[in-house]
Amino acid sequence: MSAATPVLTGLMQHDVPLTIGSLLRRMRTVNATSEVVGYGATGSTRATFLEVAERADRLGGALRALGVAEGDRVATLAWNAQEHLEAYVAIPSLGAVLHTVNLRMTPDQMTYVINHGAARILIVHRSLLPLLEAVADGLETLEHLVLVGPGPEPGDALARFTQHDYEEALAAATPIAAWPDVDDRAGAALCYTSGTTGNPKGVLYSHRSSVLHAMAAGMADTLAVTSGDRVLPIVPMFHANAWGLPYAAALVGASLVFVGHDMSPATISGAIAAERVTIAAGVPTIWMDLLRYAQEHDVDVSSLRFAPCGGAAVPRALFEGFEQTLGAEIVHAWGMTETSPLGAVARVPDDVTGEERWSLKLSQGRIAPMVEARLIDDDGAEVPWDGESSGELQVRGPWIASGYYLDEQASADAIDDGWLRTGDIATIDERGYLRLTDRAKDIIKSGGEWISSVELEGELLAHPAVAEAAVVAAPHERWTERPLACVVLAPGAEVTPAELRTFLAGRVAKWWVPEFFTFIDEVPKTSVGKFDKKVLRARLADGDLDVAVCEEAIATA
Ligand code: ADP
């Protein structure tokens, strides 16, 4: 006699949706006493997670009263602050999508991303109104501004938008008593990343991917965020969700410390010392500045367990300086906006010491759990994980983008049979440690944000004295990379770097304007006539380029 087949369905685990709403519930229950600190040298603000959750209930009520429905995007233009955290949890919990606008984008890019995201409502810190005023005329979908914090009131350029004060809106709101059930595969947050050419591209994070990413950030082999931690995300909340740290903190109950717009080493070290910060995360530029500052000032970062650092390669001198001068450890990590961003973290097993330890610390990290990686060579073939063969890094996984928001062309270009093409050239060793060796994407990363070489070249060419221009990344101690303009002069023409800087300053963001110039006879080309920037980079590395450094303030035209 054969036994009846047992029915197993229904005996398994509860299929709970993995939503930002579940993080909000954690904030008002298990993690109620964790706190959010807005650090200021002259006075700090403080709130418990319970207070934040209750204010999020009010923000949700206020947004609903303004007509926010499921799937709508609600934008933010803000620094790292308690109100931004409230938006982080309230907007997705309504079933709407939090669209964090990167305030470092150029006015054209900002106009594009606000229109493309198509939010009707923007939560904006008053100190950032000048940025908004500069793009106001081009905004097509925006109707309401919710104004946060101290600062000037909106000028005439913003008069056509209905204006609300954040605190007044919260005070007047009916708090949400029962948040809606939200599908965990729906969009929760939207973040744009600028590409080599063309418009910025939107990465839409689902609830499920954000919660899984928050869980991953709590793993000991990655960012190891725990309930006992006090986390200072220096990476901005408009950049890849501050590397997912706010959601990780909400999930595990780590307290959060914010420094707002002030990322000076004095403020950062002051916040770490006063608030006994245990994890502080930022790009190498931030830590280089702090290290330099610590050489001349008394700095106490003894509370730090470690400092995750990524977005650009961390030089050995920075790791060593941190350990020797500050007694603190930097942990190297690799990721992209498209990867939420946790992709790889360079944790070194305790029994690995000496040069081998350095070798692993300097790598971009071990491929994170749940992330799959492969390396593809120029012929489309997969190369082995032997620590030597290199290829383009491709990744996939539950928090890795499978395309760009409403952008078929960019999605088709970026996705290879379900794998995300990262544009990074890398090797991977037998244990899964990743090492970036080059970059296929033609772009410059300065202080953690992108500068488009193609756009700079176009603007340089607009100058009558310039016949050809190629812009490549020059290594830079403070900013990691700065643009080097390689200029071919038009026959008989003359122009100085200072004149080109003045010319560019009117056409691109000030921080994009190169300090480094070299005048060359021609731009090296590949067999198909494309600029061969590898050759220029090699000549720069070999000291074969005559580079003029021009750092004086830009004269106004
Ligand atoms: P983020 O700055 O948060 O890493 P972006 O999407 O702005 O995210 O940039 C991602 C790119 O930055 C990567 O594709 C890679 O080129 C570069 N990058 C990120 N982390 C590192 C790292 N640890 N070392 C070198 N380059 C890195």
Side-chain angles (χ1 to χ4, degrees), residues 194-210:
S194 39
T196 30
T197 50
N199 291 316
K201 296 164 289 181
V203 178
L204 184 61
Y205 306 110
S206 71
H207 284 261
R208 187 183 136 84
S209 80
S210 307

Side-chain angles (χ1 to χ4, degrees), residues 296-311:
E296 283 159 25
H297 300 81
D298 232 356
V299 163
D300 172 15
V301 297
S302 57
S303 58
L304 273 190
R305 287 205 293 128
F306 63 95
C309 183

Side-chain angles (χ1 to χ4, degrees), residues 391-427:
E392 184 183 17
L393 173 66
Q394 300 193 350
V395 288
R396 67 177 184 188
W399 51 83
I400 312 286
S402 60
Y404 292 104
Y405 179 64
L406 299 181
D407 194 334
E408 276 177 30
Q409 188 55 52
S411 303
D413 292 346
I415 305 300
D416 177 3
D417 194 23
W419 294 77
L420 172 80
R421 302 181 52 188
T422 65
D424 289 325
I425 308 296
T427 64

Side-chain angles (χ1 to χ4, degrees), residues 472-497:
V472 296
H476 191 274
E477 200 199 347
R478 176 159 187 230
W479 301 109
T480 309
E481 291 176 4
R482 288 297 299 157
L484 164 70
C486 309
V487 174
V488 180
L489 290 176
E494 273 181 36
V495 69
T496 65

Side-chain angles (χ1 to χ4, degrees), residues 185 434 459 532:
R185 286 168 203 265
L434 169 76
E459 297 302 341
D532 197 348

Side-chain angles (χ1 to χ4, degrees), residues 102 192-194 203 205 235 239-243 283-284 309-314 332-341 344 362-365 393 421-425 434 436 438-441 443 445 447-450 480-481:
N102 183 336
Y192 284 74
T193 175
S194 39
V203 178
Y205 306 110
V235 49
H239 187 122
N241 284 350
W243 295 348
V283 292
C309 183
V314 180
H332 199 183
W334 171 88
M336 306 169 70
T337 300
E338 289 87 334
T339 68
S340 291
L362 284 160
S363 79
Q364 268 69 21
L393 173 66
R421 302 181 52 188
T422 65
D424 289 325
I425 308 296
L434 169 76
L436 264 49
D438 198 359
R439 192 185 287 154
K441 41 197 178 198
I443 197 149
K445 193 134 193 224
E449 298 287 345
W450 295 114
T480 309
E481 291 176 4

Side-chain angles (χ1 to χ4, degrees), residues 213-262:
H213 184 269
M215 288 186 71
M219 298 181 85
D221 266 337
T222 65
L223 302 183
V225 183
T226 70
S227 58
D229 279 307
R230 297 177 64 79
V231 180
L232 168 63
I234 304 165
V235 49
M237 289 167 85
F238 55 75
H239 187 122
N241 284 350
W243 295 348
L245 290 166
Y247 288 144
L251 175 65
V252 304
S255 288
L256 283 164
V257 180
F258 294 133
V259 290
H261 71 281
D262 184 357

